[in-house]
Amino acid sequence: MSLRPQAALVALLVGLLAPAAPAAAAVDDPAASTATVAVEGTVARAEIDHFGDDPSSASVYAVRLDDGLLVPVTSRRALPADGQFSGELVIRGAVARELESRDLLPDAGSTVDQESKAGSAALAVAVAESLPMPVVDATVIPAGDTGATVTPSAHRAYVVKMTDQGSVDGDDASIGAAVDAMLSYWVTESDGGISSFGRVGPILGYDSAADYTPSQGCGLNDPFTIWNDALTLFPSVNFDDPGNHLIVLVGEECGHAGPVGVATIGSSLASGGPSILTYDPQTFRSTGAHELGHNFGLLHANLDTCAGPTICEYFDLYSPMGLSIGGTAFTPPALGTLYRAELGLTTSAEVSTVELASGETSLTQSFDLAPRSAATGLRGLLVTDPSTGITYSIDSRARTGRDAGAFYGSAYSLGSPAPTYPTGVVVERQAGLDATYLMTTTGPFVEGTTPRQVGAHGVGNSFSPSPQLKVTVNSIGATTKVTVELGQPQVTSAAPGISGMVKVGETVSATTNGWSVGTSFAYDWRVDDVSTGQTGSSFDIPGSAVGKTLTVKVTGSKAGYASATRDSAGSPVGPGTLSSSAAPGIAGTSSPGRAVTVSPGAWTSGATLAYDWRLDDVSTGAVDATFTIPATAGGKSLTVRVTGTKPGYTSLMKESSPVTVGLGTLTSGAPTISGAVRVAETVSAMTSGWTSGTSFTYDWRLDDVSTGQTGPSYAVPASADGKKLTVTVTGSKAGYVAVARESVASTVAKGILVAKTPTISGTAKVGRTLTAAAGTWTSGTALTYRWYAGTTAITKSSTSRTYKIAKAYKGKKLTVKVTGKKVGYTTVTRTSKATRAVAR
């Protein structure tokens, strides 16, 4: 990257993707048909950083064996730095061919141990030829968190320079002085955490077995080969031990192809590790400080808002973990508050933590900050945004003290579109555990140009990433006054909804989409904006709500957040729908006079049922659950209608299936014949003991032959004389089966003629004629007359009514006997009174 002068980027990055807790991570790579070697060791992860016009980085891996040898590997997944590795490496390509040439190649699909002849040979070839071996079926347990407690310790630097890969300019004394100055940066910045950091022995020169030209970066793309060569110079030093650093110097020209520095990532300020640096006196101090920062576990200082596709990573120039700038002898800036906190270097006197206390809803506090580069005083703030949980550092960068030689605030610029880096208040945010991001502001508008980002905030500027956090720069001088305002964030909310059918009898639920994750809810169900007292997430709509408006008021609460209350839209409550399990039934015997009962079925709880008993679909007016079938119902269709009602519900009527009422059985008694059973008499049929309301028909019979007479009375004809008279009475009534009963037979007696005593008219003298007057007899009676003198009949019976008195009966008294005869009647004779004695 060209500067006005030139910028040089130096970095190594490992372990960004390693889990925070030591949970096993599975790694695989398809290699089922090849042989493998089982390896155990420690993951070494290195980041190769490129600079120039397109700064970028790339990760490479190795497995560090117990003897310190670094076996280059490839993995399709990120491997956690310093993780405990146990897995298999694939033997293939040039490694496989070399083993085959030695007759050591294992059978396909087999696995050999790293201590075996084939296994150790495979690893040796991979190291010697710089041939990465693919990882397959491995388990890597991440290194545990070492915590932030710093125990002062001495660090040692073992320095070598490559003599066959470019030229490291300068004599060993000047190079050593540059190295010592670079090491002293970390002694100063650690505030005693690194008690001393000195070179051990002379600077050793060596020829690397890796045959790379300067145009190929002198092997910086293949750091493990260089490190493996350099390790042989220090056979008694274990660079896995804390505080041991291997520093390999290469010529400045090695950086012209792209990469300019590599280092392994450690886990704490106590860590050691290898690095490779291009030696350029202008950038060396910054480059070395940067790479040693990686050894201590620090990652890059970047822009939060990228200024361009390649102006992002490394572009926080207020940090030693950003770009290393060349062109003049800039010194690395003091370590910022976030990185110091990560390394466990901060104290309460140096850094204040600003956050809301438990139960606190807002906070406004002002601070006087000494420059970050000062040796004493309050020099930084750690502020956590209540709404996001992101922690920001607030540092005053004055380019004084330890920052006096830094790039920021100088007369130099990187040129547009890169940001400008003035003095002022610098805000950085933490990302994960290792990287930081510079929160820039926007520079002044200049017509015809695009405003550039500005790395520091000036007087009157405010930084407010959310409504709950605001940092205002009040003044800048010997100390910088800033005001921090914190407010409890409000739960993200949205109007609740009502799910379900809004009608009486239904259960509806409140929906709470669009609220903050982890929010707890309280509910207040309201009808016409009056609380029902129901506070659950669901609500059973009562009948009293019909026709009213239903809403739910939802209050969301979350620890550390201000609660929010939102109302749903109103929903009109419709009438409920009554339900019935089945049509009603009729239980009991369906006959006149019998009681039947309705079986209404199961209805909506609380429903009131009304009944309507119907015959031939005409209401009987009966409304009870039990119905006594009237006598008139026989043969009719019986149904019952059940109507359910409930406040707030639409009424529902269900009707039973029709039942035909059976015909009743009439109560009856045998009829009797009343009256004299004789000819010419009128007799009557008497009925008693019959069901009330019965109608009768009659059949008068003689000798069991119908007379055709069907009235209740019967005039006995003369033809009935001597015959058996009976009457058959048939009773009928609506709804009943007709019943016929017959009377006991009675023999018809002869009729009794109506007869009068005859009278005689005329003079009782011989020769005179007497006339008999019979009087009124039963109609149709045939009369005969016979005259008597005393007791002696003087004439034969005849129909003549007259008699001429003969001489023989002189002095005699005459009478006449009238005999009446009629069929069916008893013959009757009546005798008149005697006349006077017959005169002469």
Side-chain angles (χ1 to χ4, degrees):
M1 152 126 350
S2 56
L3 165 66
R4 310 263 188 280
Q6 177 183 7
L9 167 67
V10 185
L12 171 88
L13 167 63
V14 187
L16 264 177
L17 300 181
V27 182
D28 54 46
D29 193 89
S33 63
T34 57
T36 59
V37 55
V39 174
E40 291 187 355
T42 304
V43 173
R45 180 175 178 178
E47 189 80 357
I48 304 173
D49 298 302
H50 302 266
F51 81 107
D53 293 333
D54 299 309
S56 62
S57 61
S59 296
V60 291
Y61 297 95
V63 175
R64 185 184 295 112
L65 305 181
D66 289 342
D67 59 5
L69 197 66
L70 295 167
V71 180
V73 298
T74 59
S75 173
R76 293 191 302 175
R77 302 183 184 180
L79 302 177
D82 289 339
Q84 295 300 308
F85 180 93
S86 178
E88 299 175 14
L89 306 181
V90 180
I91 302 172
R92 70 178 185 184
V95 176
R97 289 192 293 273
E98 178 62 26
L99 264 61
E100 186 175 28
S101 69
R102 303 182 194 180
D103 199 23
L104 292 176
L105 183 64
D107 294 335
S110 65
T111 299
V112 297
D113 187 82
Q114 69 186 75
E115 303 296 337
S116 68
K117 189 174 182 180
S120 60
L123 298 179
V125 171
V127 170
E129 301 297 329
S130 189
L131 299 171
M133 300 181 72
V135 176
V136 65
D137 294 336
T139 298
V140 180
I141 301 175
D145 186 3
T146 60
T149 301
V150 175
T151 300
S153 61
H155 283 243
R156 295 154 296 280
Y158 299 83
V159 184
V160 300
K161 61 180 180 180
M162 291 175 60
T163 58
D164 63 335
Q165 309 291 341
S167 60
V168 178
D169 296 333
D171 56 35
D172 286 355
S174 61
I175 294 173
V179 171
D180 292 342
M182 180 265 292
L183 299 178
S184 69
Y185 171 86
W186 280 104
V187 174
T188 300
E189 293 303 314
S190 70
D191 287 338
I194 297 176
S195 58
S196 63
F197 203 162
R199 288 182 291 119
V200 178
I203 298 174
L204 302 180
Y206 85 109
D207 292 341
S208 172
D211 188 15
Y212 293 107
T213 65
S215 63
Q216 296 173 311
C218 302
L220 290 175
N221 286 313
D222 182 18
F224 299 118
T225 298
I226 295 175
W227 288 330
N228 280 328
D229 286 344
L231 288 174
T232 62
L233 300 176
F234 307 99
S236 63
V237 179
N238 184 350
F239 288 97
D240 283 342
D241 288 344
N244 289 336
H245 299 263
L246 173 63
I247 300 175
V248 179
L249 304 179
V250 297
E252 178 186 0
E253 63 268 33
C254 295
H256 295 166
V260 295
V262 185
T264 56
I265 299 299
S267 57
S268 72
L269 192 64
S271 299
S275 61
I276 305 173
L277 309 175
T278 55
Y279 182 73
D280 173 5
Q282 288 188 345
T283 61
F284 181 73
R285 188 170 183 182
S286 296
T287 300
H290 183 114
E291 298 308 321
L292 288 177
H294 287 313
N295 278 172
F296 300 140
L298 304 183
L299 298 184
H300 292 151
N302 311 309
L303 291 181
D304 183 74
T305 301
C306 298
T310 60
I311 304 176
C312 197
E313 189 177 16
Y314 318 115
F315 275 80
D316 178 358
L317 301 189
Y318 298 96
S319 172
M321 301 311 294
L323 287 173
S324 181
I325 305 298
T328 188
F330 294 116
T331 58
L335 195 62
T337 294
L338 282 178
Y339 282 134
R340 290 181 62 78
E342 181 184 336
L343 294 176
L345 298 174
T346 59
T347 65
S348 59
E350 175 197 348
V351 175
S352 285
T353 298
V354 187
E355 59 187 356
L356 290 175
S358 178
E360 199 171 25
T361 59
S362 64
L363 170 69
T364 299
Q365 190 170 359
S366 295
F367 300 88
D368 291 321
L369 295 179
R372 178 70 267 175
S373 55
T376 60
L378 180 64
R379 285 156 280 167
L381 302 177
L382 288 174
V383 182
T384 299
D385 187 338
S387 66
T388 63
I390 296 174
T391 297
Y392 298 91
S393 63
I394 311 297
D395 289 331
S396 174
R397 293 288 185 173
R399 203 170 186 264
T400 59
R402 288 182 287 186
D403 281 1
F407 170 77
Y408 79 84
S410 70
Y412 294 90
S413 169
L414 297 183
S416 182
T420 61
Y421 297 91
T423 58
V425 174
V426 172
V427 181
E428 294 165 319
R429 71 171 173 87
Q430 188 175 35
L433 297 176
D434 309 308
T436 63
Y437 290 82
L438 177 64
M439 311 303 294
T440 58
T441 185
T442 303
F445 174 76
V446 177
E447 189 173 355
T449 65
T450 300
R452 294 173 67 180
Q453 294 184 47
V454 178
H457 299 260
V459 175
N461 288 161
S462 293
F463 169 71
S464 184
S466 76
Q468 285 70 48
L469 170 61
K470 183 178 181 181
V471 179
T472 302
V473 181
N474 305 117
S475 64
I476 297 177
T479 59
T480 296
K481 182 179 289 292
V482 296
T483 299
V484 178
E485 298 174 68
L486 295 178
Q488 191 177 52
Q490 188 173 60
V491 170
T492 301
S493 64
I498 296 177
S499 175
M501 298 181 66
V502 184
K503 54 192 283 189
V504 171
E506 297 291 336
T507 297
V508 292
S509 298
T511 59
T512 52
N513 299 320
W515 290 68
S516 300
V517 175
T519 301
S520 299
F521 298 103
Y523 306 89
D524 178 18
W525 291 93
R526 306 177 72 82
V527 174
D528 278 355
D529 205 31
V530 177
S531 177
T532 65
Q534 298 301 307
T535 58
S537 60
S538 59
F539 177 60
D540 297 329
I541 303 177
S544 59
V546 67
K548 298 179 181 179
T549 299
L550 176 67
T551 57
V552 61
K553 186 183 293 290
V554 176
T555 299
S557 303
K558 184 178 180 180
Y561 288 75
S563 61
T565 299
R566 299 292 298 272
D567 288 298
S568 71
S571 298
V573 178
T577 301
L578 288 174
S579 63
S580 172
S581 60
I586 297 175
T589 302
S590 299
S591 298
R594 301 295 293 271
V596 290
T597 302
V598 63
S599 298
W603 285 69
T604 300
S605 177
T608 299
L609 303 182
Y611 309 101
D612 176 20
W613 292 92
R614 305 176 72 83
L615 289 170
D616 283 350
D617 205 29
V618 176
S619 177
T620 64
V623 295
D624 295 329
T626 299
F627 173 60
T628 300
I629 300 175
T632 57
K636 294 184 178 181
S637 175
L638 174 65
T639 57
V640 61
R641 288 180 178 176
V642 179
T643 299
T645 57
K646 187 177 180 181
Y649 287 74
T650 302
S651 62
L652 175 65
M653 188 274 286
K654 289 288 190 77
E655 188 167 13
S656 70
S657 297
V659 174
T660 300
V661 178
L663 296 176
T665 301
L666 287 174
T667 301
S668 64
T672 59
I673 297 174
S674 175
V677 183
R678 62 179 63 205
V679 173
E681 294 291 336
T682 296
V683 293
S684 298
M686 304 302 293
T687 56
S688 63
W690 288 73
T691 299
S692 177
T694 302
S695 298
F696 301 103
T697 59
Y698 307 89
D699 181 17
W700 293 92
R701 303 176 73 82
L702 290 172
D703 285 348
D704 204 27
V705 175
S706 178
T707 64
Q709 299 301 306
T710 59
S713 59
Y714 176 58
V716 183
S719 59
D721 179 30
K723 296 182 178 179
K724 300 293 187 181
L725 176 65
T726 58
V727 62
T728 297
V729 177
T730 298
S732 59
K733 188 176 182 180
Y736 289 79
V737 177
V739 174
R741 298 294 299 274
E742 189 174 28
S743 68
V744 175
S746 298
T747 301
V748 177
K750 290 182 179 295
I752 299 174
L753 289 174
V754 175
K756 294 291 186 177
T757 299
T759 61
I760 300 173
S761 64
T763 301
K765 288 182 177 182
V766 174
R768 296 282 186 101
T769 298
L770 298 176
T771 300
T776 301
W777 286 64
T778 299
S779 176
T781 302
L783 299 177
T784 60
Y785 302 88
R786 194 171 188 180
W787 294 87
Y788 285 84
T791 59
T792 301
I794 58 177
T795 62
K796 293 181 179 180
S797 294
S798 69
T799 59
S800 175
R801 295 188 302 122
T802 63
Y803 174 66
K804 187 176 181 181
I805 302 172
K807 293 179 180 180
Y809 300 108
K810 176 185 170 194
K812 300 286 187 183
K813 291 182 180 181
L814 300 182
T815 60
V816 65
K817 290 184 177 182
V818 177
T819 297
K821 292 184 178 180
K822 190 174 182 179
V823 176
Y825 289 77
T826 301
T827 299
V828 176
T829 299
R830 291 285 188 265
T831 302
S832 68
K833 290 181 178 182
T835 65
R836 296 177 181 177
V838 176
R840 186 175 176 192

